[in-house]
Every structure is written in structure tokens, then in C-alpha cells.
Amino acid sequence: MLNPHQFTVNDAWIGFRLNDAPIGTERDGDFDCLALMDAASCYIVGMEMYSARATGPSKLESRRLLKQGQDRSGTLPRKLFVAEGQVPDALCQEAASLNIKVVTVLEDELLVFIGEARDGFKQRFGRSQ
């Protein structure tokens, strides 16, 4: 089982979708939010909104997300952990092109890292039932 204490700051990031349902806007339609989190500190180093109609962020949006993380942390990680089937290929391909090793794991292994961020995001932007 993965744990934040296994990592040093900026050694590994986690790519994950923050929202469990699309975020609706009247003007621009529905959006999803992809985030990057440092595995050691659980600090979110980047977020990118993209159209929920798309299969994921574009190559450009993925590159922008990784650049945002690099700008905030001062470096790129050696590894990027992603949940199986949860992070679009474009982000994984962009990470690999930057010599970041992409490691696919079960989502349950990442919940210790991302659970609180998802809960907070849902409280702020979640839809009323």
C-alpha cells in the first residue's frame, strides 16, 4: 500500500480527477478537473479544467498542467502515479515525453493521498442531490 511517508518532496506526483461528476456552467457547458499532487506533501501542484465532452485534456492542456506543476515545485518528478483508467492518455504521454516514469495503480492505492482533496472539491463544487 502506498503512503506519503514513502516519498520525498517532488520525487513523485499523482495525477487524478478531482471531481466525481461534471462541473456545470451555464455559459461554457460541463467541465472536469484534472489535478497533480505531490505524493510526499499531498500538496496540489497543478489543476486543469477541460470540457467534460472530451475524453480528457488535450495534449496542450496536459503539457500546460505539467508545466504548472513544474513552475510551482521548481522541478518535475521522476514518477507519476495514476489510477488505472482514471487519467487520460494525453497526460501520461506528455509525462513520458518529459522522462517521467508513469506508474499505473489501482485507485484504492491512491485514496490515502487524494481522498481529502476530492472531498473538499466536492463540498465546494459538487452538485446538489
Side-chain angles (χ1 to χ4, degrees), residues 35-96:
L36 291 176
M37 175 184 281
D38 177 69
S41 66
C42 295
Y43 176 75
I44 293 179
V45 297
M47 288 184 358
E48 183 72 31
M49 303 290 278
Y50 61 94
S51 173
R53 292 186 305 265
T55 57
S58 67
K59 183 176 179 175
L60 176 64
E61 291 166 328
S62 296
R63 187 177 306 130
R64 187 170 48 221
L65 177 58
L66 290 164
K67 176 76 169 119
Q68 184 182 81
Q70 181 180 24
D71 290 347
R72 285 192 180 155
S73 66
T75 189
L76 288 170
R78 291 185 305 121
K79 291 181 185 175
L80 175 66
F81 287 90
V82 298
E84 191 172 24
Q86 293 292 314
V87 173
D89 289 340
L91 179 65
C92 295
Q93 291 168 358
E94 283 300 307

Side-chain angles (χ1 to χ4, degrees), residues 5-34:
H5 301 294
Q6 291 175 258
F7 302 98
T8 58
V9 173
N10 295 321
D11 178 48
W13 290 350
I14 299 166
F16 67 103
R17 190 171 144 191
L18 261 172
N19 56 308
D20 58 358
I23 303 156
T25 67
E26 287 183 27
R27 185 175 142 205
D28 297 317
D30 292 345
F31 288 88
D32 285 324
C33 184
L34 194 62

